[in-house]
Amino acid sequence: MAKYLLLKHYRGAPAAVNGVPMDQWTPEEIAAHMKYMHDFADRLKETGEYVDGHALSPEGTFVRYDGEGRPPVTDGPFAETKDVIAGWMEIDVDSYERAVELAGELSAAPGAGGRPIHEWLELRPFLSTPPTITE
């Protein structure tokens, strides 16, 4: 099995076919989108391919270590940033091809007018432990 992260972007990815921003959707359109997402996750739970997933707020703060005994440095939020992650789903599948298939399916979640968004999802494999070399 291989684990992949499916990343949904608020912006920063190529434009979706049905690219009406979610803040312009009706409550019914939002509910239909969320139902699709939940139904998709439930189906993957049944096949054992679902690991976890969450929607994320568009706001965020960058944090970094600033030295021993000093508080962390924060900066942001950066609303003007190019990339903003809307949410993610972790899957555990048998192959890269299966991960691509599921990402394509998730891309078809309904949006404005009930039409599929056809959004671009970023598919990222998790790094695995490198092989140990013994002599």
Side-chain angles (χ1 to χ4, degrees):
M1 300 290 275
K3 289 187 179 179
Y4 289 88
L5 192 62
L6 304 175
L7 292 171
K8 294 175 65 67
H9 292 260
Y10 279 115
R11 59 183 176 271
V17 173
N18 182 5
V20 177
M22 191 179 243
D23 63 0
Q24 295 176 23
W25 297 0
T26 66
E28 294 79 18
E29 292 166 341
I30 292 171
H33 179 82
M34 297 308 295
K35 180 178 181 338
Y36 182 97
M37 301 295 292
H38 288 289
D39 290 349
F40 183 83
D42 287 343
R43 198 178 82 237
L44 294 186
K45 287 174 188 173
E46 290 175 10
T47 65
E49 296 172 308
Y50 180 85
V51 177
D52 201 3
H54 293 280
L56 299 172
S57 166
E59 295 84 30
T61 302
F62 283 95
V63 179
R64 74 155 206 239
Y65 175 74
D66 199 36
E68 189 64 40
R70 300 181 62 159
V73 176
T74 62
D75 200 5
F78 296 99
E80 74 281 359
T81 188
K82 176 185 167 197
D83 296 311
V84 180
I85 304 298
W88 55 272
M89 182 177 289
E90 182 181 341
I91 58 174
D92 193 355
V93 294
D94 288 331
S95 66
Y96 170 78
E97 290 75 20
R98 177 64 174 155
V100 169
E101 177 186 345
L102 292 175
E105 228 179 289
L106 190 57
S107 157
R115 296 180 314 277
I117 299 171
H118 296 288
E119 68 183 328
W120 289 92
L121 295 175
E122 185 177 355
L123 178 62
R124 302 273 303 268
F126 281 78
L127 286 177
S128 60
T129 306
T132 302
I133 299 174
T134 57
E135 296 184 32

